[in-house]
Amino acid sequence: MTTPATDRPGYADRKGAVQMRLRRIEGQVRGLQRMIDEDTYCMDVLTQISAVSRALESVAIALLDDHLHSCVTTAVSEQDADLDAKLDEAMAAIRRLVRS
Amino acid sequence: MTTPATDRPGYADRKGAVQMRLRRIEGQVRGLQRMIDEDTYCMDVLTQISAVSRALESVAIALLDDHLHSCVTTAVSEQDADLDAKLDEAMAAIRRLVRS
Amino acid sequence: MTTPATDRPGYADRKGAVQMRLRRIEGQVRGLQRMIDEDTYCMDVLTQISAVSRALESVAIALLDDHLHSCVTTAVSEQDADLDAKLDEAMAAIRRLVRS
Amino acid sequence: MTTPATDRPGYADRKGAVQMRLRRIEGQVRGLQRMIDEDTYCMDVLTQISAVSRALESVAIALLDDHLHSCVTTAVSEQDADLDAKLDEAMAAIRRLVRS
């Protein structure tokens, strides 16, 4: 009998890198506010919004990548009975990402 | 002969509303950092990232909407010779949004 | 008083090109059916689906481009009272494209 | 030593359903050609293109879902050494879907 999967998230090993990316995104959002304050031309604001969207999307994809690898590795070593449920859950997240 | 379009951006009339939305998005990005700090389950982080992406996308669409109406209105009243160039530019922004 | 915009669609001048792209897309969709028939590896089918999606998206963007230019040109020359309604309608299409 | 994964694709059990969806999509693409032939209003063509895009996206998501479940199930029962490589490959497909 194995212990259940701990609460250690799939991204545990690169928490620092994820945080750094999120802080950079926070800075970009503040940059957007400055652009609006300074009456920046719409099209330039839009270009910057597309850059922030892509940055967020990249974080999402990195987290999903870690998650799939880690939950599948756990499943293989522990014959995790919940694997199907976990994959369904991951697919729901993928569906939201594809649609958003 | 008309005066050239001023530097007043298309979103000038709802600057306050745009800023409020961007500040809320900034708060959401900080919320994401807290989630990572607290080892929140990956799938919940992903759900929240999708929400932020949608919020950003809505701001982009609102800005584009204001921009198209304002640059077209200007064009109609001033026989703006640059209208085609402006529409091409707007299409480039739309293309980036659709792809991002 | 001007005549209302005729029924000539914005893409009238490049109907042939649009049709050719749609026929190529139809061929790609039939190619997908063949791939499934032949038990092609999932990931290769997915790569091909992404290609078809991009092709469709390009047609949509080209049509939107023609539409915006043509309805705005009409508006400028005829002081079209419905211009705002038309731009709102175009924005609705853009929103769907961005979300899809 | 286990037998290598067979060539049976993940969607093998619902090949019929996938084919039916692809045939419907082919019909929709032909419908688009008819719309262009008949000078249908651009915005209505765009609405229909968005519908076809979503239908394609749904097929992609269904295939990915089958694939992940089947390759992970194989991995768990056969201690598949290539599992990491397969997940990387699936992530590449997800990345393309999210971006397309």
Side-chain angles (χ1 to χ4, degrees):
Chain A
M1 179 78 221
T2 57
T3 17
T6 65
D7 288 282
R8 211 167 175 272
Y11 54 78
D13 291 338
R14 38 177 177 159
K15 229 167 129 163
V18 174
Q19 287 290 37
M20 206 161 68
R21 288 162 87 169
L22 288 173
R23 273 196 298 271
R24 203 177 310 136
I25 290 170
E26 187 193 334
Q28 287 176 304
V29 176
R30 267 200 302 269
L32 284 170
Q33 294 169 30
R34 256 190 319 275
M35 291 176 95
I36 298 290
D37 252 348
E38 297 164 357
D39 291 331
T40 306
Y41 185 49
C42 296
M43 295 296 106
D44 296 330
V45 183
L46 285 182
T47 301
Q48 186 57 15
I49 291 182
S50 290
V52 184
S53 292
R54 273 198 174 250
L56 261 179
E57 206 173 80
S58 295
V59 173
I61 285 174
L63 290 176
L64 185 63
D65 194 351
D66 288 340
H67 178 69
L68 274 182
H69 278 92
S70 101
C71 81
V72 165
T73 304
T74 304
V76 171
S77 63
E78 307 179 7
Q79 304 292 335
D80 186 349
D82 294 337
L83 182 58
D84 270 325
K86 278 184 186 160
L87 288 177
D88 288 342
E89 194 186 45
M91 282 307 306
I94 292 168
R95 210 168 282 123
R96 275 194 306 273
L97 273 175
V98 171
R99 293 275 150 88
S100 78
Chain B
M1 179 72 224
T2 57
T3 19
T6 66
D7 288 282
R8 210 166 175 275
Y11 56 79
D13 290 337
R14 35 176 179 162
K15 229 167 130 163
V18 174
Q19 288 290 34
M20 206 162 67
R21 288 163 87 168
L22 287 173
R23 272 196 298 271
R24 203 176 312 136
I25 290 169
E26 187 195 333
Q28 289 176 304
V29 176
R30 267 201 301 269
L32 284 170
Q33 294 168 31
R34 253 188 323 273
M35 290 175 97
I36 298 290
D37 252 347
E38 298 166 356
D39 291 330
T40 306
Y41 185 50
C42 296
M43 295 295 106
D44 296 330
V45 182
L46 286 181
T47 301
Q48 186 56 16
I49 291 182
S50 291
V52 184
S53 293
R54 271 196 177 251
L56 262 178
E57 206 174 81
S58 295
V59 173
I61 286 174
L63 290 176
L64 184 64
D65 193 352
D66 287 341
H67 178 70
L68 275 181
H69 279 92
S70 101
C71 82
V72 165
T73 305
T74 304
V76 171
S77 63
E78 305 179 8
Q79 303 293 335
D80 185 350
D82 295 336
L83 182 58
D84 270 325
K86 278 185 185 160
L87 287 178
D88 288 342
E89 192 186 47
M91 281 308 304
I94 292 168
R95 211 167 282 122
R96 274 194 307 274
L97 272 176
V98 171
R99 292 275 149 90
S100 75
Chain C
M1 182 68 224
T2 57
T3 19
T6 66
D7 288 282
R8 209 167 176 275
Y11 55 79
D13 290 338
R14 37 176 177 160
K15 227 167 130 162
V18 174
Q19 288 290 34
M20 206 162 68
R21 289 163 86 168
L22 287 173
R23 272 195 298 271
R24 202 176 313 136
I25 290 170
E26 188 194 334
Q28 288 177 305
V29 175
R30 267 201 302 270
L32 283 171
Q33 294 169 31
R34 254 189 322 275
M35 291 176 95
I36 298 290
D37 252 348
E38 297 164 357
D39 292 331
T40 306
Y41 185 49
C42 297
M43 296 295 105
D44 297 329
V45 182
L46 285 182
T47 302
Q48 186 56 16
I49 291 183
S50 290
V52 184
S53 292
R54 276 201 171 247
L56 262 178
E57 207 173 80
S58 295
V59 173
I61 286 173
L63 291 176
L64 185 65
D65 194 352
D66 288 340
H67 178 69
L68 275 181
H69 278 94
S70 102
C71 83
V72 165
T73 305
T74 304
V76 171
S77 63
E78 305 178 9
Q79 303 293 335
D80 185 350
D82 295 336
L83 182 57
D84 270 325
K86 278 185 186 160
L87 287 178
D88 288 343
E89 193 186 46
M91 281 307 305
I94 292 168
R95 211 167 282 124
R96 274 193 307 272
L97 273 175
V98 171
R99 293 276 149 92
S100 77
Chain D
M1 178 77 220
T2 57
T3 17
T6 66
D7 288 283
R8 210 167 176 273
Y11 54 79
D13 291 338
R14 37 178 179 159
K15 229 167 129 163
V18 174
Q19 288 290 35
M20 205 161 68
R21 288 163 87 168
L22 287 173
R23 274 196 298 270
R24 204 176 310 136
I25 290 170
E26 187 194 333
Q28 287 177 304
V29 176
R30 267 201 302 269
L32 284 170
Q33 294 168 32
R34 255 190 319 275
M35 290 175 96
I36 298 290
D37 252 347
E38 297 165 358
D39 291 332
T40 306
Y41 185 50
C42 296
M43 295 295 107
D44 296 331
V45 182
L46 285 182
T47 302
Q48 186 55 16
I49 291 182
S50 290
V52 185
S53 292
R54 272 198 175 250
L56 262 178
E57 205 174 80
S58 295
V59 174
I61 285 174
L63 290 176
L64 184 65
D65 194 352
D66 288 342
H67 177 70
L68 274 181
H69 278 93
S70 100
C71 83
V72 165
T73 305
T74 303
V76 171
S77 63
E78 307 178 7
Q79 304 292 335
D80 185 350
D82 295 337
L83 182 58
D84 270 326
K86 278 186 186 159
L87 288 177
D88 288 343
E89 193 186 46
M91 282 306 306
I94 292 168
R95 211 167 281 122
R96 276 194 306 273
L97 273 175
V98 171
R99 293 274 150 90
S100 77

